[in-house]
Amino acid sequence: MGKSERTTPEHVAIIMDGNGRWAQARGKPRLFGHHAGALRVREIVEACPDLGVKYLTIFAFSTENWKRTQTEVSGLMKLFKRYLMSETKQLVDSGVRVRFIGDRMKLDNTLVALMDELELLTSYNDLVHLTIALNYGGRDEVARATKRLCREVAEGKLDPESVDAETLARRLDTYVLPDPDLVIRTSGEARISNFLLWQSAYSEYEFVETLWPDFTRDEFSRVLSGYTSRERRYGAVPG
């Protein structure tokens, strides 16, 4: 597809980085920044329909984030619960469908129940598909998908000779979603941090200096506008 044919990305994934630094720059604890970051999520989700984004995936908590201090992890888990409870009505009424990806086994039962409820309540919505990566890691996701394949082979449900890339992809957490067209990381860090490793094989990347709590709708729009000038080749040579 050439530049003249480019449109707004259908699926945008965001690594929401910089909450802690944003708070520390203001002499506040890191959790203050996470609260501000949660408020920013609503603005970006609300902007998606007008900007032509159908699918939005956000990186909320990684499998590596358990290494943070117990105070921060505990505070984040409380924040997730509060966010889900406070945003449910808004998400339902706004036509947003919510899904969660990641390993739920390590999350507490109350949080998982809230996640399940939100997925159910929004299951008929179709305006924006919001996917929240919670206790998620790309390598962990591929490992879990591989275990599913191994079980199916062992049970005689799957011929190992038939396994290909698509076979594995259908067992990933994101099997119902298109691959992301664009991955954005805020805060100036230029790494992908184990996020959607399989799915982003041909995604465009944009690393912006802005810390996540300052990432406004206007900046989101500017990043999307820049995407339209890119030419995605998917390994091919342009004609």
Side-chain angles (χ1 to χ4, degrees):
M1 183 177 288
K3 294 181 180 180
S4 62
E5 301 173 81
R6 291 303 312 128
T7 60
T8 299
E10 178 186 40
H11 184 180
V12 177
I14 304 179
I15 302 172
M16 306 179 296
D17 194 20
N19 291 337
R21 276 171 283 166
W22 185 89
Q24 290 171 337
R26 289 159 176 76
K28 302 286 187 178
R30 290 176 59 84
L31 283 171
F32 180 79
H34 293 308
H35 281 278
L39 295 176
R40 185 62 64 193
V41 170
R42 175 188 274 206
E43 178 181 342
I44 297 304
V45 172
E46 290 177 344
C48 283
D50 289 342
L51 297 175
V53 175
K54 183 75 171 180
Y55 297 89
L56 177 69
T57 299
I58 57 175
F59 204 3
F61 190 87
S62 78
T63 51
E64 290 74 34
N65 286 156
W66 296 104
K67 300 173 185 177
R68 296 185 178 186
T69 66
Q70 180 57 40
T71 298
E72 184 170 358
V73 170
S74 176
L76 279 167
M77 293 302 154
K78 291 177 182 176
L79 174 61
F80 295 147
K81 293 174 188 175
R82 189 177 304 119
Y83 175 84
L84 297 185
M85 289 187 289
S86 66
E87 294 295 306
T88 292
K89 186 177 187 305
Q90 172 71 18
L91 291 165
V92 172
D93 293 346
S94 299
V96 178
R97 178 164 187 172
V98 180
R99 295 181 178 89
F100 293 90
I101 58 174
D103 186 356
R104 304 188 189 196
M105 296 299 292
K106 196 171 181 178
L107 303 175
D108 75 54
N109 293 336
T110 301
L111 178 55
V112 172
L114 289 169
M115 293 161 63
D116 290 342
E117 181 182 33
L118 185 54
E119 286 183 324
L120 179 62
L121 290 173
T122 62
S123 60
Y124 292 100
N125 288 349
D126 190 48
L127 183 63
V128 176
H129 291 248
L130 172 64
T131 301
I132 302 172
L134 191 56
N135 193 29
Y136 173 86
R139 290 180 174 179
D140 176 72
E141 178 188 28
V142 173
R144 287 186 286 107
T146 303
K147 287 179 183 178
R148 295 188 189 105
L149 285 176
C150 291
R151 282 196 296 267
E152 291 176 41
V153 169
E155 293 167 359
K157 297 177 181 178
L158 183 66
D159 178 2
E161 295 302 319
S162 70
V163 174
D164 57 16
E166 183 56 34
T167 309
L168 181 61
R170 288 196 299 269
R171 287 155 180 81
L172 296 173
D173 297 349
T174 57
Y175 69 97
V176 297
L177 303 173
D179 289 342
D181 302 293
L182 174 66
V183 180
I184 301 169
R185 180 173 186 142
T186 60
S187 88
E189 300 290 345
R191 59 180 181 273
I192 59 177
S193 295
N194 199 18
F195 184 49
L196 300 179
L197 299 180
W198 180 281
Q199 300 87 340
S200 61
Y202 285 102
S203 302
E204 297 290 320
Y205 274 82
E206 187 72 29
F207 301 101
V208 300
E209 294 294 328
T210 308
L211 302 177
W212 173 248
D214 291 328
F215 189 76
T216 63
R217 173 195 174 112
D218 288 342
E219 182 153 9
F220 188 35
S221 179
R222 285 195 295 273
V223 173
L224 297 183
S225 295
Y227 169 89
T228 63
S229 66
R230 299 187 182 193
E231 183 177 10
R232 301 181 73 194
R233 302 176 185 175
Y234 301 99
V237 177

